[in-house]
Amino acid sequence: MLVEQMMNTNVLTLQPTHSIKDAIDLLRENKIRHLPITSEEGLVVGVLSDRDIKDATPSNLIENQQNDIYATPIEDIMTKNPLIGHPLDFVEEVATIFYDQKIGCLPIVSSGKLVGIVTETDLLYKYIELTGAHQPGSQIEVRVPNRPGILFEVSKVFHDHHSNVLSVLVYPDLQNDENKILVFRVKTMNPLGIIEDIRKEGFDVLWPNMPGMTN
C-alpha cells in the first residue's frame, strides 16, 4: 500500500512566527496532536507536537506563571528540518521510519509542497483494517517448519472448511530459527473444526490452546 492511499490530506499548518498560544488553540479546536510548520512559500520547515508545547509551557499547578511564554514564536520550540515522506512511499517503509526514529508524525511532501500527513494513530488504524482485527472472527496461531510452500499446506485446511481468511501474518519463532509462526485471522466464531484438522496435518496450534484441547 502506498502512503497516498492512507495519508490525511486535510492538513492544518502554522508558520514559524505564530505563537505557542496560536498552536494550543488550533490543536484543541481540532483535537489533533501534531502540526506541520510551513514557510510562506508552503515549504515544510518544522513539526510541532503537543509534547513540545507541554515541555515548553509551565504546569497549571505552578503559581506566578509567566504568561508571556505563550506569546513565544513556535519556531523556538518546534522540531526543525523534520523527516518527510512522499506520497509514493510504501506504508511499510514509513512504519519503519516511525519505529526507528521514534517520531509521532511524518509530513508528506511532493514537488516541495506539503500534500498530507501520516501520524502514528493513522498507522495503527490501518494495521487494524489490514489485519481484519476490527471484524468479528477468530485468531489461530500455528507453528510450522520454515520451508517453501508451507503456507499453502496450512491454507488448504481453511479452503476445505470454506473458511474466509481475513489476514495472515508471519512471525519468527524466537525459540527455534527452523520454525516460523503463522497467524490467521478467520471469519468464523467457532474454529474448533479447523484447529482439529490443522493438528491432524501435523502442525502445532499455539492459539487457541484452552483446557480440553489436545496438542
Side-chain angles (χ1 to χ4, degrees):
M1 175 176 285
L2 299 178
V3 167
E4 65 179 0
Q5 297 175 273
M6 56 90 64
M7 69 183 185
N8 182 3
T9 57
N10 183 25
V11 189
L12 299 174
T13 66
L14 288 176
Q15 294 184 2
T17 53
H18 279 98
S19 68
I20 291 179
K21 184 180 185 306
D22 292 331
I24 292 175
D25 291 342
L26 191 60
L27 291 173
R28 287 178 177 173
E29 289 172 5
N30 294 277
K31 298 180 180 179
I32 55 178
R33 297 171 50 205
H34 304 90
L35 281 173
I37 309 302
T38 59
S39 66
E40 293 183 357
E41 296 76 23
L43 302 177
V44 177
V45 295
V47 167
L48 185 72
S49 70
D50 57 351
R51 173 59 60 185
D52 296 326
I53 293 174
K54 289 177 182 178
D55 290 343
T57 55
S59 167
N60 292 331
L61 300 178
I62 299 178
E63 298 180 358
N64 300 321
Q65 297 183 21
Q66 296 180 350
N67 291 327
D68 58 349
I69 194 172
Y70 294 99
T72 302
I74 55 180
E75 64 182 341
D76 290 351
I77 65 170
M78 70 182 186
T79 299
K80 299 178 181 179
N81 301 315
L83 295 171
I84 59 173
H86 188 273
L88 298 182
D89 288 340
F90 288 107
V91 172
E92 295 88 346
E93 296 172 346
V94 168
T96 300
I97 294 175
F98 274 74
Y99 179 81
D100 290 340
Q101 303 297 325
K102 296 179 174 58
I103 57 176
C105 75
L106 190 70
I108 307 302
V109 174
S110 179
S111 300
K113 302 295 183 181
L114 180 69
V115 295
I117 188 172
V118 174
T119 69
E120 53 191 349
T121 302
D122 295 329
L123 290 174
L124 176 60
Y125 285 173
K126 185 54 61 177
Y127 170 82
I128 291 173
E129 290 179 3
L130 291 176
T131 59
H134 62 305
Q135 301 183 43
S138 303
Q139 181 168 304
I140 302 174
E141 297 185 14
V142 186
R143 179 187 288 122
V144 298
N146 188 7
R147 67 169 186 258
I150 196 65
L151 178 59
F152 173 75
E153 294 180 34
V154 181
S155 297
K156 286 191 299 183
V157 177
F158 295 95
H159 176 268
D160 294 342
H161 280 262
H162 305 287
S163 180
N164 186 12
V165 177
L166 299 173
S167 66
V168 182
L169 298 177
V170 182
Y171 298 127
D173 185 347
L174 300 180
Q175 298 179 356
N176 189 341
D177 292 339
E178 296 183 357
N179 296 327
K180 57 186 175 183
I181 310 298
L182 303 181
V183 182
F184 295 89
R185 183 78 183 175
V186 293
K187 198 173 184 179
T188 178
M189 300 306 294
N190 184 6
L192 296 182
I194 297 174
I195 293 170
E196 181 179 355
D197 284 351
I198 290 175
R199 286 186 170 134
K200 285 181 180 178
E201 294 296 323
F203 301 115
D204 185 12
V205 177
L206 302 178
W207 179 265
N209 188 11
M210 297 175 286
M213 286 188 171
T214 57
N215 288 314

